[in-house]
Amino acid sequence: MSDPNSQEIPADIAKMSFEEALQELEKIVEKLDSGQVDLDQSIDIYTRGSLLKQHCDAKLRNAQERVDKIVGKNGNLSVEPANVE
């Protein structure tokens, strides 16, 4: 089931690393906090910020799924999926 609030991520955002997207998101927050942008620009950059946040959330979920926990059992190491929830 897809999230009704999610939007298609534009290609320029989809190719960003987590760090790049987070950095741009931080710049957007600074602009919005400054109060130096007009209403139309605020709406546009808020929308882009929402897409960046959605992209970052997906990147974090993907990373979380890949995390493995190394467990020592009787001197032997084994790998099992991390319980990160």
Side-chain angles (χ1 to χ4, degrees), residues 32-67:
L32 291 172
D33 283 346
S34 76
Q36 300 299 312
V37 292
D38 63 33
L39 180 60
D40 287 336
Q41 186 182 16
S42 292
I43 292 168
D44 290 343
I45 63 176
Y46 179 86
T47 300
R48 183 162 176 87
S50 176
L51 292 168
L52 287 161
K53 181 191 176 298
Q54 185 178 329
H55 177 67
C56 287
D57 287 345
K59 288 277 192 185
L60 285 174
R61 272 192 312 276
N62 186 13
Q64 196 170 30
E65 290 169 1
R66 294 173 47 203
V67 172

Side-chain angles (χ1 to χ4, degrees), residues 3 11 14 18 25 62 64 74 77:
D3 181 355
F18 174 82
L25 185 55
N62 186 13
Q64 196 170 30
N74 299 328
L77 293 178

